[in-house]
Amino acid sequence: MRQWIGWALQVGCALCIAHTGAVQSAPQAATDPINEARDALRKRDNKRLAGLRSSTLAERHPLAPWVEYWEIGNRISETNTDEIEAFYQRWSGSYVEDRMRNDWLLELGRRRDWPAFVRDHPRFRMNDDREVTCYFTLTEHFAGKPVADEARALWFAQRDSDDGCTLMASTLYDAKVFGADDLWMKLRLSLDANRARVARTVASWMDKHISQDVGELLEHPVRYLRRVQGTPSRTQAELALLAIVRAASNDPDAAAGLMDERWQAALGPERAAWAWAVIGKQAALRLSGDAPQHYKRAFTLLRGTPRTAQWSDEMLAWAARSALRAGRNGDRWALALRAIHAMSPSEQSDPTWVYWRARALNATAASGEAGDAQREQARELFASIAGPLTFYGNLAAEEIGFVPELPWLAPTPSEADRAQARANPGLSRALQLIALGLRNEGVREWNFTLRGMSERELFAAAEWACEREVWDRCINTSDRTRQDIDLAQRYPTPFRDIVLARSQEIGLDPAYVYGLIRQESRFISDARSSVGASGLMQLMPNTARWVARKLSLDYKPEQIVDPTVNVRLGTGYLKMVLEDFGGSQAMAAAAYNAGPSRPRRWREGATIEPAVWAENIPFNETRDYVKKVLSNAAVYASLIHGRTVSLKTWLGGQAIGPREASAPEVNIDLP
């Protein structure tokens, strides 16, 4: 086996790799030079890594670029421009060249070697690193160019204290490009995002008393507010607002009480509006029915001024979500519209808010001819996103009276297209890396190589990945096409016998199972998440053991990645979860992703339509997951059953609300 793998890599084309299901994950011997180099990197064995760099270069190993990238990267703080330039030249046009440039630009920034940074930056093709962009913006400032607006946007979007953006901001503050207002706004945003470390850094640029006060209010916000006496100064008001924001993250009801008690009047309209918006967001994240009222107070204080531009899109998104969740409250649509209109243009164009804006326009339109123009506007918005392959695209299509047909036909790649894909060194290296178990590196190389490809080339690359059973690259590559769509690539059905037989055995719709697997693992049978979930259906080890006991299955932990065993356990668990939530596929999907206890809490409060419930899931990952599982399932239903299925069918006809008294007891044993 070792000799065969070595020969395949020496030849350097994935056509030489035997076509087996194990192409994604076959275990490799320790003497394989690539995995050996990766192991040396992990162990910081510089001598062994340097030797492997030399040997793979001498042998012209097709994956030598990666070994050299690891070796230089391991000592990048000690290297020099000449060595880096030689690397660039040797691997010109490859992913590792541009990845090394990204790493080197960060190193040049840390060294404050601005002349070398300016020379190299124009060649950075990906240009997708925010910290590099901050360093570049700083060099533009040094060159005398106006950078305030771009720099402010970069800094406000920075979540953590990386060197590049922090250095840029502190330099611009010292140069008086940024002023006190910018620092106060960054402090607000940092505390709203629960980034105490960032807040402490920013406060340290101000006078020591402010820095001390920020430290105190981060630890004891209510106590800090209690000791502020009299009418606060501008600085005290800003600090008090920060304390309110901090208090709201712990207890929005208590923060609302503090506002009513004293601080709405003491803060002034703009700061008070910001405080109520943060309280509203924190209440909305807890699915509190008070959230819309908090947001209404915030909007009222603004009195129509454009200061909502200072609110984050996330803050406004939760204003809209809380309004949608407000049940039959008559003015909920007006609040949703106001929040959506205040979002940034890019956020407003997201299909989520296009859909809900259109729903709100329909709901608030006057009866008769007076409302016809508004209803037509809503129809145009629905039509702009309507389509069968996305959650809101599908719902939008149904709103205007049709269920869109799936795009069945797609152009077949020609032999020339196939040959071109197989001759592409970047795609070949990517598949070889994946075959060696270096999936992360292979995925990055593959994605970089797809840049600039035509749709015809994308179809050919996706087809090659499908043939190699590298299903995630098959799906994600095909997902990039826009003019034509190949459903067999985007929604493949590997392990069909296993999934169909097991689904039929326990009474699950296989379309639902396929929709979940596509989102969970992209059909990578040995996929492992960062938290330890494994296999096609991404089971946690404890959950797998629990289900195996329930099913009286003779189970060993190493079987968790066996497709037959994993699907048996995963569908068994999914069936139990689905039954516990009364057949609601939306709640069951949420429970599968986030555990059953959370959606049990999320169903409390108002009884609402499933789409509103899904949009109000407090976890970003789970919210996105539920919507994608359900839209996937609707597509798979058409493919498997041969008939178009409404997405609303998958959402369920019944509204979601508290468990009915007549329902079976909660299965508290479900992990």
Side-chain angles (χ1 to χ4, degrees), residues 408-666:
W408 293 101
L409 299 177
T412 302
S414 67
E415 287 302 321
D417 293 335
R418 293 189 180 98
Q420 182 180 358
R422 285 154 177 73
N424 187 301
L427 298 182
S428 180
R429 280 193 299 270
L431 290 177
Q432 292 168 43
L433 287 161
I434 291 170
L436 288 169
L438 300 174
R439 171 164 292 280
N440 185 44
E441 291 84 352
V443 165
R444 287 185 283 157
E445 177 110 42
W446 181 277
N447 290 344
F448 178 82
T449 307
L450 297 181
R451 296 167 69 252
M453 281 191 178
S454 66
E455 296 220 342
R456 190 182 71 247
E457 292 168 323
L458 289 170
F459 279 127
E463 182 181 271
W464 191 22
C466 294
E467 290 174 359
R468 308 272 21 105
E469 299 182 10
V470 185
W471 298 112
D472 62 332
R473 294 309 92 207
C474 165
I475 294 168
N476 290 17
T477 303
S478 194
D479 260 342
R480 293 177 178 239
T481 64
R482 292 293 176 264
Q483 191 170 2
D484 293 298
I485 292 171
D486 188 330
L487 280 181
Q489 290 179 349
R490 290 200 186 190
Y491 296 87
T493 54
F495 311 103
R496 191 178 180 94
D497 290 345
I498 296 171
V499 172
L500 294 185
R502 177 60 179 162
S503 299
Q504 183 177 11
E505 178 187 350
I506 64 173
L508 279 177
D509 192 319
Y512 187 46
V513 178
Y514 266 117
L516 185 143
I517 296 176
R518 185 181 187 271
Q519 188 60 25
E520 282 285 357
S521 67
R522 285 290 199 262
F523 305 103
I524 303 303
S525 61
D526 64 345
R528 293 185 189 274
S529 75
S530 60
V531 296
S534 299
L536 291 172
M537 299 190 71
Q538 288 291 279
L539 291 166
M540 295 295 290
N542 289 340
T543 302
R545 285 194 294 270
W546 183 87
V547 177
R549 287 196 300 271
K550 288 291 183 181
L551 299 180
S552 300
L553 182 67
D554 184 15
Y555 168 74
K556 297 179 178 62
E558 59 269 21
Q559 293 178 302
I560 196 168
V561 294
D562 178 275
T564 301
V565 175
N566 190 274
V567 169
R568 182 174 181 82
L569 295 174
T571 53
Y573 180 71
L574 181 60
K575 176 73 171 180
M576 291 181 230
V577 169
L578 193 62
E579 290 174 347
D580 192 57
F581 285 94
S584 168
Q585 299 193 78
M587 285 194 288
Y592 196 96
N593 179 260
S597 62
R598 291 187 177 97
R600 287 175 192 146
R601 294 196 303 271
W602 298 340
R603 72 183 300 177
E604 297 304 318
T607 298
I608 50 181
E609 64 177 280
V612 171
W613 185 85
E615 189 55 49
N616 271 272
I617 290 173
F619 294 177
N620 293 341
E621 177 192 327
T622 305
R623 186 187 323 119
D624 182 66
Y625 175 90
V626 168
K627 291 188 285 189
K628 285 181 177 175
V629 166
L630 295 174
S631 59
N632 289 346
V635 175
Y636 275 116
S638 298
L639 295 174
I640 293 171
H641 304 310
R643 55 184 173 79
T644 301
V645 176
S646 160
L647 179 56
K648 288 186 178 180
T649 299
W650 288 100
L651 285 169
Q654 293 184 334
I656 294 177
R659 184 184 290 262
E660 295 180 0
S662 60
E665 290 187 10
V666 170

Side-chain angles (χ1 to χ4, degrees), residues 152 155 172-173 176-185 206:
R152 188 176 292 110
W155 189 42
L172 294 180
Y173 179 62
K176 301 192 184 325
V177 175
F178 285 173
D181 286 346
D182 296 307
L183 268 60
W184 287 119
M185 182 53 66
M206 308 165 89

Side-chain angles (χ1 to χ4, degrees), residues 71-83:
E71 196 277 330
I72 295 176
N74 192 45
R75 54 179 176 83
I76 196 166
S77 62
E78 303 164 5
T79 193
N80 57 57
T81 298
D82 290 342
E83 184 177 24

Side-chain angles (χ1 to χ4, degrees), residues 141 202 207 236 294 300-301 307 321 344 346 416 436 441 485 511 565 571 659:
H141 164 70
V202 174
D207 72 54
Q236 288 175 321
H294 299 325
T300 299
L301 284 164
R307 292 305 296 266
R321 292 184 183 115
S344 67
S346 61
L436 288 169
E441 291 84 352
I485 292 171
V565 175
T571 53
R659 184 184 290 262

Side-chain angles (χ1 to χ4, degrees), residues 141-411:
H141 164 70
F142 290 148
K145 298 178 182 178
V147 299
D149 291 342
E150 180 183 358
R152 188 176 292 110
L154 282 168
W155 189 42
F156 284 176
Q158 177 200 19
R159 306 280 292 186
D160 297 307
S161 292
D162 62 71
D163 179 68
C165 294
T166 301
L167 176 66
M168 176 197 72
S170 62
T171 302
L172 294 180
Y173 179 62
D174 290 341
K176 301 192 184 325
V177 175
F178 285 173
D181 286 346
D182 296 307
L183 268 60
W184 287 119
M185 182 53 66
K186 179 63 176 177
L187 284 167
R188 293 186 193 182
L189 295 169
S190 299
L191 266 64
D192 180 44
N194 198 27
R195 294 293 190 271
R197 180 182 172 187
V198 177
R200 292 181 194 276
T201 298
V202 174
S204 70
W205 304 344
M206 308 165 89
D207 72 54
K208 66 177 182 180
H209 299 294
I210 292 177
S211 183
Q212 290 170 354
D213 283 350
V214 168
E216 180 183 348
L217 67 86
L218 284 170
E219 297 298 326
H220 305 288
V222 177
R223 187 174 73 186
Y224 175 82
L225 289 168
R226 296 295 187 201
R227 76 171 180 81
V228 178
Q229 302 297 318
T231 302
S233 65
R234 184 263 170 102
T235 296
Q236 288 175 321
E238 289 289 354
L239 289 166
L241 171 57
L242 297 180
I244 292 287
V245 172
R246 188 68 167 173
S249 67
N250 298 321
D251 187 342
D253 290 337
L258 290 167
M259 288 292 289
D260 284 331
E261 177 185 310
R262 174 188 176 190
W263 287 104
Q264 174 167 316
L267 291 178
E270 189 275 329
R271 294 186 194 93
W274 223 91
W276 280 117
V278 171
I279 293 168
K281 188 188 88 168
Q282 293 297 335
L285 284 165
R286 291 161 173 78
L287 305 181
S288 167
D290 294 331
Q293 294 303 318
H294 299 325
Y295 274 115
K296 286 177 187 177
R297 296 181 73 168
F299 279 115
T300 299
L301 284 164
L302 291 173
R303 294 188 177 87
T305 67
R307 292 305 296 266
T308 48
Q310 301 270 5
W311 296 4
S312 67
D313 281 331
E314 183 185 19
M315 199 180 291
L316 292 161
W318 280 106
R321 292 184 183 115
S322 71
L324 297 174
R325 193 177 168 84
R328 301 183 181 278
N329 191 315
D331 60 353
R332 67 174 180 138
W333 292 112
L335 177 59
L337 274 176
R338 185 165 188 181
I340 294 168
H341 287 158
M343 293 175 183
S344 67
S346 61
E347 188 73 5
Q348 286 189 49
S349 65
D350 185 282
T352 301
W353 305 119
V354 172
Y355 175 81
W356 289 113
R357 181 186 174 198
R359 286 279 305 271
L361 287 170
N362 266 343
T364 56
S367 59
E369 292 184 2
D372 285 348
Q374 189 164 314
R375 281 186 286 272
E376 180 57 29
Q377 183 185 4
R379 182 178 180 82
E380 290 173 358
L381 288 170
F382 285 133
S384 72
I385 62 169
L389 303 182
T390 64
F391 184 82
Y392 282 116
N394 208 315
L395 290 179
E398 294 190 47
E399 288 290 335
I400 52 180
F402 73 95
V403 178
E405 294 294 328
L406 291 170
W408 293 101
L409 299 177

